[in-house]
Amino acid sequence: MNRRGLIVGGGAAALAATIMPAAASAATDPATAQHARRVLNLVNADLGAVDPEGATRLLEASLADYAESAPRDPDADDLLAWVQRRIAHLTGTDSIEAAVKRNPETRTLLAFGYLSYTQRQDRPQPRIARSMPVPAVLANLEPDFLPELLRQVQSRARTSAAFATALGTGSDHMTQLIVAGDGPGGTGPGHPTDEDILNWVVLLIVVAVVVIGK
């Protein structure tokens, strides 16, 4: 299957730019910091990306389901709208395309989320659809959770070479998640657009970090 790069300048080189003093400020709520630490510790740096081929098969099935779901209501206060608000809080832009392609903080969290996803392939997989409601676990997520998780991921990468390498591996695999024209869904009705794919991958990884990680 042909693929195009998801992350401009992706891979370990792109991740190097994020292993700097964290852009996100430290969380003021100890409960948020504890939650982020628990999620961070679910990823075993020594394992890295586990069975990438198996993960790819699961991801392809998830994208095919997403492509077959009903068109999104652009006015819906759905999971995508929730993610856009959280991305805007984290990066200053509510454009998923801009956040994914031009923001190193988003790339770091996606690389971390991919590692978490591959290490939990035996768990029930989240079903992602257009205009899906916000899962309760996300609706109740602390407002500063993603900035705090980012801060802790960056901090761990600066102090652990194994973790930094694992993040680079995750980023390398994330670059393969934009599917070309012969991917799932074919070229007929329901075939995912570039926008569909960007939305789907961010939704899936955010859900994977928070839901599969529970």
Side-chain angles (χ1 to χ4, degrees):
M1 178 178 63
N2 296 324
R3 298 183 179 90
R4 286 173 291 159
L6 166 61
I7 297 172
V8 174
L15 262 293
T18 71
I19 306 189
M20 300 288 290
S25 60
T28 57
D29 187 344
T32 302
Q34 183 178 20
H35 182 191
R37 190 175 305 112
R38 184 169 66 250
V39 171
L40 176 68
N41 289 335
L42 287 172
V43 171
N44 185 332
D46 293 332
L47 291 178
V50 175
D51 187 13
E53 292 79 9
T56 295
R57 289 191 293 271
L58 291 175
L59 290 167
E60 288 175 347
S62 175
L63 178 57
D65 287 344
Y66 184 87
E68 292 170 1
S69 65
R72 179 177 184 255
D73 175 359
D75 297 321
D77 188 16
D78 56 4
L79 178 58
L80 181 61
W82 181 93
V83 167
Q84 287 173 320
R85 291 193 294 269
R86 289 302 183 104
I87 284 180
H89 177 66
L90 181 70
T91 69
T93 177
D94 62 358
S95 166
I96 288 180
E97 180 179 9
V100 169
K101 291 185 175 180
R102 296 193 289 273
N103 188 276
E105 286 79 14
T106 305
R107 296 200 296 269
T108 298
L109 285 179
L110 288 175
F112 173 80
Y114 176 81
L115 291 175
S116 176
Y117 183 89
T118 68
Q119 293 184 10
R120 281 157 185 79
Q121 295 178 53
D122 57 334
R123 303 284 186 89
Q125 299 299 304
R127 299 294 297 272
I128 306 296
R130 300 184 184 96
S131 288
M132 66 182 291
V134 182
V137 67
L138 291 179
N140 297 322
L141 190 67
E142 302 94 331
D144 53 350
F145 174 78
L146 291 180
E148 173 61 15
L149 179 62
L150 171 64
R151 187 190 70 80
Q152 292 194 26
V153 168
Q154 290 175 318
S155 178
R156 178 72 60 84
R158 291 194 302 273
T159 59
S160 168
F163 187 74
T165 298
L167 275 185
T169 300
S171 182
D172 287 338
H173 286 290
M174 286 296 298
T175 65
Q176 305 303 311
L177 294 185
I178 288 294
V179 183
D182 60 349
T187 57
H191 178 61
T193 64
D194 287 354
E195 182 181 14
D196 279 335
I197 296 167
L198 285 169
N199 291 345
W200 160 77
V201 74
V202 172
L203 296 178
L204 179 69
I205 294 301
V206 169
V207 171
V209 167
V210 180
V211 179
I212 295 181
K214 287 188 69 64

